[in-house]
Amino acid sequence: MNAAQEWLHPFATATTARPPGATPRARLVCLPHAGGSPSFFRDWPRHLDPDIELSAVCYPGRQTRFADPVITDMRDMAHRLAAALATGSDLPLWLFGHSMGALLAYETALALREEFGRPVAGLLVSGAVPPHRNESRDIHTRGDEAIVADILDMGAAESELLADPEFRAFLLPAFRADYELIETYRPTPGAAPLDAPLTACFGTQDEDARRWVDEWRAYGSGPTAVVSYPGDHFYLQDAAPDLVPDLSRRILAPRPA
């Protein structure tokens, strides 16, 4: 298994298939939230334009990579993911990240540009404050109950599984690693804005994301946009029928010269 196969979980084409022999026009890679996995995006192919190739990142320590050592440093994770993405196709690459995945998507885009000479075609961030607003917290240093309480408070898709003691023991090491990764993250000082369009999405009831979302505009030098959807931090669990087609249009729209 090569690095791309290890990191990326591909999804089947949407029900409206591309014509025989046609190739995708763009590539979308989705980065899950803390403790999340590729299955979080399993419904997206139903709503995504078939001209877009879709895959999601599988972080070490979960799903098919359960035996792999977890990563607790943002730049280490970004470097390894960028290395896997740099070996892929030459299709225009768009990154979508939610919550922790949004900050990781940004750092991965930087690593692709600075280390591999492969700039992204666009960055799509969701449910996250911009990098310079990321707060220092210490939940990852506390007991399991502190992590579980924070997850339940946010309404993560994995909340129901944490009620089962066996699943909780299975999931918590990955959650703790991700909490350490995001809570110790500091953005690269002086990094130039990405030469790519940037869209920031958020749920209208997500107070932190809503407060600072406009400041994401400073991280892209192409066209930028801020888009809201009804819901809380995990608004996209219900918003996929609206969110994903909108992302499709942005990905496939001609870029101004």
Side-chain angles (χ1 to χ4, degrees), residues 130 200 202 209-219 224-226:
F202 69 101
R210 183 175 66 179
R211 182 180 182 187
W212 304 115
V213 67
D214 276 324
E215 295 185 8
W216 269 108
R217 296 181 187 274
Y219 290 85
T224 60
V226 171

Side-chain angles (χ1 to χ4, degrees), residues 40-77:
F40 186 71
F41 301 99
R42 62 183 176 274
D43 291 334
W44 280 38
R46 291 192 297 155
H47 310 292
L48 191 71
D49 191 292
D51 279 340
I52 301 172
E53 176 187 284
L54 177 67
S55 59
V57 174
C58 186
Y59 304 136
R62 64 217 74 192
Q63 246 177 234
T64 57
R65 304 186 65 190
F66 180 74
D68 292 352
V70 295
I71 298 174
T72 58
D73 179 80
M74 177 71 82
R75 286 188 182 81
D76 184 16
M77 181 87 87

Side-chain angles (χ1 to χ4, degrees), residues 33-35 137 139 143-165 167-168 171-172 175 179 232-234 237:
H33 54 280
R137 300 200 302 171
I139 294 176
D144 291 347
E145 292 306 319
I147 295 178
V148 172
D150 196 62
I151 296 166
L152 295 178
D153 183 60
M154 290 190 296
E158 295 79 14
S159 297
E160 292 184 6
L161 295 176
L162 293 175
D164 185 307
F167 274 112
R168 179 181 295 196
L171 293 172
L172 274 174
F175 271 110
Y179 268 66
D232 55 18
H233 185 65
F234 282 96
Q237 293 180 109

Side-chain angles (χ1 to χ4, degrees), residues 30-202:
C30 296
L31 287 71
H33 54 280
S37 64
S39 60
F40 186 71
F41 301 99
R42 62 183 176 274
D43 291 334
W44 280 38
R46 291 192 297 155
H47 310 292
L48 191 71
D49 191 292
D51 279 340
I52 301 172
E53 176 187 284
L54 177 67
S55 59
V57 174
C58 186
Y59 304 136
R62 64 217 74 192
Q63 246 177 234
T64 57
R65 304 186 65 190
F66 180 74
D68 292 352
V70 295
I71 298 174
T72 58
D73 179 80
M74 177 71 82
R75 286 188 182 81
D76 184 16
M77 181 87 87
H79 168 78
R80 297 194 199 189
L81 176 55
L85 293 172
T87 64
S89 72
D90 291 329
L91 289 172
L93 172 63
W94 289 70
L95 300 180
F96 173 93
H98 179 68
S99 197
M100 180 194 83
L103 297 175
L104 178 57
Y106 166 71
E107 286 292 334
T108 301
L110 286 184
L112 280 165
R113 181 184 71 185
E114 303 298 334
E115 301 178 40
F116 300 97
R118 296 284 299 271
V120 297
L123 181 65
L124 309 160
V125 296
S126 167
V129 298
H132 67 282
R133 294 290 184 185
N134 187 56
E135 294 184 354
S136 299
R137 300 200 302 171
D138 63 352
I139 294 176
H140 72 279
T141 67
R142 305 182 202 169
D144 291 347
E145 292 306 319
I147 295 178
V148 172
D150 196 62
I151 296 166
L152 295 178
D153 183 60
M154 290 190 296
E158 295 79 14
S159 297
E160 292 184 6
L161 295 176
L162 293 175
D164 185 307
E166 291 187 8
F167 274 112
R168 179 181 295 196
F170 182 79
L171 293 172
L172 274 174
F175 271 110
R176 185 176 296 281
D178 288 352
Y179 268 66
E180 181 175 354
L181 182 147
I182 194 64
E183 291 179 348
T184 59
Y185 164 62
R186 298 295 176 273
T188 302
L194 299 172
D195 184 21
L198 187 152
T199 297
C201 308
F202 69 101

